[in-house]
Amino acid sequence: MREILLVVHTGHQSNVDLARQVAGRLAVGGITVRVLDEEASDLGPSCCTALVPADEHAAVGTELVLVLGGDGTLLRAAELAVPAGIPVLGVNLGRVGFLAEADSDALHEAVSHVLASDYYVEERMTLDVTARVNGDVITQTWAVNEASVEKSIRERVLEVVVEVDGRPVSAFGCDGVLCATPTGSTAYAFSAGGPVMWPDVQALLVVPNNAHALFARPLVVSPKSVVAFEVEPTSQPAVLSADGRRTFELPPGSRIEIVEGKLPLKVARLRKEPFTDRLVEKFTLPVKGWRGPSAG
């Protein structure tokens, strides 16, 4: 018996209508459809054959987590899929949707691929994050896109020291500093001035945000490196954010260590297209005049 967890951004009626259509097609194809209990009232009883709470066990035993929504919905689904080791397949019903495999106009095709088990799975790097004060762990979390340390008071500057592999790199005042995965390089890190990294690159990306320093450039470091941000003891309190979804208060003197995550994000892919094409499409990049390799 095949079983799929359906995660939906139910804030728009059009999304709900599409979810009901998808659930109906999957059910006709002999697939049991799980729905999160917190979304069930919006989706209606005809949309699912099993209800589950939104916890680390929600995706256990399923074949796939099918996501209908934007990148925020996919990150929410990743919180359920990563602990269970289940791949996610995103259909973008939002704006940019870099994490999604298909856009809304390809929804019918995507469901057909799922029904035929016609997809493959690739793994994306994640981050494991530990925050300490005076050597004592105050929180541990993880991220798909990025972990950021940001000032908590708008009018003040956050004073931090950036460290890589146990050695200091630079100290500066800033609005924040973040460590991103290649997948997250097109998200917050990109907005903060970081480079775009292809998803199959294995590296960690360190990006200062509005730093007041001469040397405050993005750094691309080894995936085996340990990146640390130290909040100066004389600085203001800060906030640790993981994917913009989980936030934790950081007192002055906090130390945040970031390493490659032990559990990857598994992403279901429908076709082998280069990331270059997705980048050009999502950012509407100007490529007029390109002749291609055969033009000599």
Side-chain angles (χ1 to χ4, degrees), residues 170-237:
S170 187
F172 43 72
C174 59
D175 286 349
V177 62
L178 61 95
C179 182
T181 63
T183 299
S185 69
T186 54
Y188 184 12
F190 181 78
S191 299
V196 173
M197 297 171 62
W198 266 234
D200 56 351
V201 172
Q202 296 298 299
L204 300 176
L205 176 60
V206 180
V207 184
N209 188 5
N210 290 333
H212 303 271
L214 179 62
F215 185 83
R217 297 293 186 266
L219 305 174
V220 179
V221 304
S222 166
K224 303 307 178 186
S225 290
V226 178
V227 173
F229 304 140
E230 292 186 346
V231 180
E232 294 276 26
T234 57
S235 181
Q236 62 167 310

Side-chain angles (χ1 to χ4, degrees), residues 86 113 265:
I86 304 301
H113 278 271
L265 170 67

Side-chain angles (χ1 to χ4, degrees), residues 125-165:
M125 178 190 295
T126 61
L127 304 174
D128 284 341
V129 187
T130 302
R132 293 182 171 87
V133 175
N134 298 323
D136 297 327
V137 175
I138 59 173
T139 191
Q140 290 181 303
T141 188
W142 64 280
V144 170
N145 277 346
E146 77 282 315
S148 64
V149 177
E150 305 169 20
K151 64 182 184 181
S152 59
I153 303 175
R154 179 182 175 86
E155 296 79 12
R156 301 288 298 276
V157 173
L158 180 66
E159 299 290 343
V160 298
V161 179
V162 176
E163 172 193 299
V164 179
D165 294 329

